[in-house]
Amino acid sequence: MVRLSFRQTRLISRGFCSLRSNQISVCVVGSGPAGFYTAEKMLKAHKTAEVDILDRLATPFGLVRSGVAPDHQETKIVVNQFSRVAKSERCSFFGNTTLGSSISLVELREIYDVVVLAYGAESDRSLGIPGEDLNGIYSAREFVWWYNGHPDSFNMTPDLKNTDTTVILGLGNVALDVARILLRPLSELEKTDIADHALVSLAESTIRKVYLVARRGPAQAACTAKELREILGMKNLRVMIQEADLVASPADEEELKKSRIQKRVYELLSKAAASPRDHSSAEQKELHFAFYRKPDRLLPSEDASRVENCTSGNRIAVGIGQFEDITCGLVLKSIGYKSLPVEGLPFDYRKGIVPNFMGRVLRSQQQDHEVVEHGLYVAGWLKRGPTGIIATNLYCAEETVASISEDIEKGLIKPASCSPKPGRKGLLQLLENRNIKFVPFSGWEKIDAMETMLGAQGSKPREKITTWKELIKAAND
Amino acid sequence: MLCRISVTFVDKDGDEKTIQVPVGMSMLEAAHENDIELEGACEGSLACSTCHVIVMDVEYYNKLEDPTDEENDMLDLAFGLTETSRLGCQVIAKPELDGMRLALPVATRNFAVDGYVPKPH
């Protein structure tokens, strides 16, 4: 009798295994475009996959919410698609859940078959010049977070009243964004989803002149035509570009011939330099393009509490020993974002990315010997470095998901032995044990509804909630 | 006078699907109504390049209105851009386009906005 029962038990457990054996549990860390495109493609490619998307913030969507400028609302429309993914049957969002403090990478890998890290780049490249840590110097990333109401930048309070000049180092689209927000008439910002504390600050701003300081020339400008066209076309803005800077070397001409993007940007800059618009308004603000200049040092003002002068050296390739000083009270570094490493994760400090091959994380990269960390992948900026547009993540996610699918097919993810990982159930249990109140997608929807309602009162698409405490409260109401 | 035109979409695997598109409808809208996998992140507001399509025959390409600066700005960023590329949300069905064939671009491994091809690591 006893032996019969024993055999029956074994038969039951084998049956249980084969039922569950093709279910794949996936955890995506980061809910920006990289995370959401990865989740969407995983769900589509694997009809039994369950995907959980984690974010340390209570709000999803990454830089679509906290990076895209307030006057670029159409660029944010993609959140509709991401919301459909989050609300789909096999997907769950876990906000207020931080890799490292809420749960470790090791724990995630024990709970899920597949872990994809898509947490982007929340730090900055540094200039490495004297004076970099004076007051009044911020990274563009922090400044953008500030006007977009990111809870981590709530207390930044940049002083826009101590000076009439801002120097922005860099000439990518982020540099143009911050310049544009500083120069836009208030009436144009009032009806956007710009954070209220930023609107108040900008209303009192005395900044009238903005310098865009670029190491290289117009043929190498990293910004794109849409953003450039927009800022060059702003009303009551005097654009100062020196025609001499627009002279293209033979090497420049070669580069321009090969790239449609560069060519169109160069043409816009040439046109602006050759035919400055007629301005007679006294209220005019100024935008200066300073090419071939590299910041040499940042100098403090007399009371050593803010930046006063910014010295630049001409011609980046070979410093020609000429210097000029620009007096300013605010410096924004827009020279690139940088990813942060996490405990237990291989990291390439030089490139600022996780070493990987087509999205598969590499444990080490010796000369001819790459060891893959099975089941661990990367997507987005953490994988490629902090470049590209939202759509770049579409193709990036496709590549990572293709790698995952290949690995599943080869049996590298689900070993033959039958001990299925707990997946979502395991995460829920762990978070409960640690008393971590994660924010589900429905919690974000409550925040969303409240922000939209508050915004309607001021004819804004939304009024952002900008502190951690208020965000959590709104999510739980 | 045609009130619907025939348009054939060819996906990156070469599979074809021919659909009927009412005059006045954009190719993006038509694709979505027929379950054709054309991305449309900004839902037709000229703020992205994900609905990029390639007009396969140059005679049809020439029948289209020239792209505006705004469309060209977005096309700058499209992946796998060709001489006959357009944004699907800006191609509007009209009788002269009956029989048009549109290819969905093949995803490239070139992720850089400026056309730079990174060395494989």
Side-chain angles (χ1 to χ4, degrees):
Chain A
M1 278 295 256
V2 171
R3 274 175 87 177
L4 195 60
S5 304
F6 179 70
R7 264 201 219 109
Q8 276 177 326
T9 310
R10 284 180 66 185
L11 268 168
I12 287 165
S13 59
R14 226 181 276 138
F16 179 66
C17 278
S18 56
L19 263 176
R20 301 244 344 247
S21 64
N22 50 9
Q23 206 178 53
I24 307 279
S25 60
V26 182
C27 182
V28 176
V29 179
S31 67
F36 265 105
Y37 278 131
T38 299
E40 187 177 44
K41 288 171 191 302
M42 267 313 288
L43 288 164
K44 183 153 171 284
H46 301 271
K47 299 300 182 194
T48 57
E50 229 184 33
V51 179
D52 292 342
I53 307 175
L54 273 52
D55 202 291
R56 69 176 181 90
L57 296 183
T59 58
F61 312 133
L63 285 172
V64 181
R65 175 174 164 95
S66 65
V68 174
D71 55 355
H72 285 175
Q73 282 300 313
E74 302 84 21
T75 308
K76 304 188 192 212
I77 291 175
V78 71
V79 306
N80 295 343
Q81 181 177 350
F82 296 161
S83 297
R84 288 193 292 273
V85 174
K87 292 168 81 155
S88 68
E89 223 188 296
R90 292 175 283 125
C91 188
S92 277
F93 174 72
F94 288 79
N96 196 33
T97 307
T98 307
L99 176 63
S101 55
S102 310
I103 183 167
S104 72
L105 182 58
V106 168
E107 285 166 334
L108 272 182
R109 294 183 72 191
E110 282 167 2
I111 293 174
Y112 290 92
D113 298 316
V114 171
V115 174
V116 185
L117 302 177
Y119 64 72
E122 292 195 323
S123 180
D124 314 292
R125 286 180 68 197
S126 62
L127 290 164
I129 62 174
E132 195 164 357
D133 47 9
L134 288 170
N135 280 348
I137 300 167
Y138 303 97
S139 70
R141 173 187 62 85
E142 295 170 295
F143 193 74
V144 169
W145 271 6
W146 171 75
Y147 64 61
N148 274 332
H150 192 292
D152 284 356
S153 277
F154 178 71
N155 289 319
M156 206 176 106
T157 57
D159 186 354
L160 307 181
K161 289 188 287 194
N162 71 49
T163 182
D164 69 349
T165 302
T166 298
V167 168
I168 298 172
L169 301 168
L171 191 46
N173 285 337
V174 179
L176 292 191
D177 274 355
V178 299
R180 198 178 67 247
I181 296 298
L182 284 168
L183 293 168
R184 263 220 192 279
L186 209 72
S187 56
E188 289 173 21
L189 292 175
E190 268 166 355
K191 305 277 188 257
T192 69
D193 66 359
I194 192 168
D196 189 59
H197 54 244
L199 199 61
V200 166
S201 205
L202 287 163
E204 300 171 338
S205 162
T206 52
I207 291 167
R208 294 288 169 268
K209 275 192 264 190
V210 173
Y211 283 80
L212 289 161
V213 177
R215 280 178 310 145
R216 299 174 294 175
Q220 292 83 30
C223 55
T224 52
K226 171 182 180 247
E227 287 75 11
L228 193 53
R229 195 187 300 281
E230 188 180 8
I231 205 167
L232 293 175
M234 274 174 65
K235 291 195 294 276
N236 297 327
L237 181 67
R238 200 161 158 229
V239 177
M240 327 271 280
I241 306 182
Q242 289 175 353
E243 275 199 83
D245 282 343
L246 263 300
V247 173
S249 69
D252 287 342
E253 301 276 2
E254 274 308 302
E255 258 189 81
L256 291 173
K257 264 197 226 141
K258 288 192 213 142
S259 167
R260 176 187 149 126
I261 292 181
Q262 294 305 139
K263 185 156 136 278
R264 295 181 81 243
V265 163
Y266 181 82
E267 277 165 5
L268 281 166
L269 290 167
S270 299
K271 224 168 80 178
S275 49
R277 279 153 44 213
D278 180 36
H279 294 278
S280 43
S281 165
E283 269 304 310
Q284 222 165 90
K285 295 183 183 171
E286 291 175 12
L287 178 65
H288 298 245
F289 283 78
F291 291 103
Y292 301 110
R293 279 157 179 74
K294 184 175 75 160
D296 178 69
R297 70 191 63 231
L298 299 164
L299 303 163
S301 67
E302 275 133 35
D303 63 2
S305 65
R306 61 185 164 93
V307 168
E308 189 161 282
N309 290 353
C310 182
T311 323
S312 318
N314 280 357
R315 300 272 159 184
I316 191 259
V318 177
I320 62 173
Q322 277 179 19
F323 295 89
E324 79 181 73
D325 288 1
I326 307 173
T327 303
C328 62
L330 179 69
V331 175
L332 298 174
K333 300 181 292 183
S334 189
I335 59 171
Y337 288 59
K338 205 166 73 177
S339 289
L340 292 165
V342 143
E343 169 114 33
L345 182 64
F347 198 76
D348 181 335
Y349 285 88
R350 195 180 58 85
K351 291 186 197 154
I353 59 170
V354 171
N356 70 92
F357 176 66
M358 297 178 77
R360 295 178 181 91
V361 173
L362 299 172
R363 187 178 308 160
S364 61
Q365 258 185 308
Q366 273 115 42
Q367 206 65 13
D368 51 356
H369 182 62
E370 283 175 349
V371 181
V372 173
E373 283 280 356
H374 289 303
L376 186 60
Y377 303 84
V378 280
W381 282 4
L382 190 59
K383 169 185 170 192
R384 302 179 281 107
T387 58
I389 53 176
I390 292 172
T392 314
N393 294 288
L394 202 49
Y395 303 94
C396 178
E398 220 165 80
E399 182 185 68
T400 295
V401 171
S403 296
I404 297 171
S405 301
E406 252 176 63
D407 292 353
I408 290 173
E409 219 171 314
K410 287 189 194 151
L412 296 170
I413 308 265
K414 285 283 230 184
S417 76
C418 191
S419 47
K421 293 186 175 166
R424 186 175 300 160
K425 279 202 339 250
L427 178 67
L428 286 165
Q429 187 65 64
L430 184 145
L431 294 177
E432 198 187 303
N433 293 347
R434 290 188 184 158
N435 207 17
I436 291 169
K437 280 222 78 185
F438 71 89
V439 174
F441 200 72
S442 57
W444 151 247
E445 286 178 311
K446 290 184 191 151
I447 295 171
D448 188 22
M450 170 143 287
E451 288 186 343
T452 308
M453 181 202 69
L454 292 169
Q457 292 167 11
S459 308
K460 299 172 74 166
R462 69 178 59 246
E463 184 59 69
K464 283 198 179 148
I465 298 172
T466 57
T467 66
W468 277 97
K469 197 161 149 215
E470 287 173 318
L471 283 163
I472 300 291
K473 182 166 181 294
N476 292 318
D477 263 345
Chain B
M1 179 70 171
L2 277 177
C3 39
R4 277 173 179 265
I5 61 167
S6 210
V7 176
T8 302
F9 282 86
V10 182
D11 76 13
K12 56 190 168 152
D13 299 316
D15 296 326
E16 297 192 5
K17 188 167 184 181
T18 302
I19 61 173
Q20 301 304 311
V21 185
V23 166
M25 184 179 276
S26 78
M27 294 302 120
L28 176 62
E29 221 187 307
H32 285 180
E33 288 205 352
N34 289 274
D35 291 323
I36 289 165
E37 280 178 14
L38 184 60
E39 290 278 342
C42 77
E43 296 176 7
S45 29
L46 273 180
C48 77
S49 55
T50 60
C51 69
H52 167 215
V53 291
I54 299 163
V55 183
M56 294 174 75
D57 308 294
V58 76
E59 310 92 65
Y60 282 103
Y61 178 77
N62 290 334
K63 289 182 190 172
L64 300 173
E65 303 281 317
D66 281 345
T68 57
D69 279 342
E70 288 70 33
E71 185 182 344
N72 270 324
D73 286 350
M74 291 303 105
L75 280 170
D76 278 356
L77 311 170
F79 289 82
L81 189 70
T82 69
E83 298 279 322
T84 58
S85 284
R86 291 299 299 266
L87 293 184
C89 65
Q90 302 301 302
V91 177
I92 311 297
K94 55 185 183 181
E96 304 95 294
L97 300 178
D98 186 34
M100 179 168 63
R101 289 158 60 80
L102 299 173
L104 302 184
V106 176
T108 60
R109 292 207 28 221
N110 170 4
F111 297 136
V113 166
D114 60 359
Y116 166 72
V117 180
K119 293 192 181 58
H121 46 59

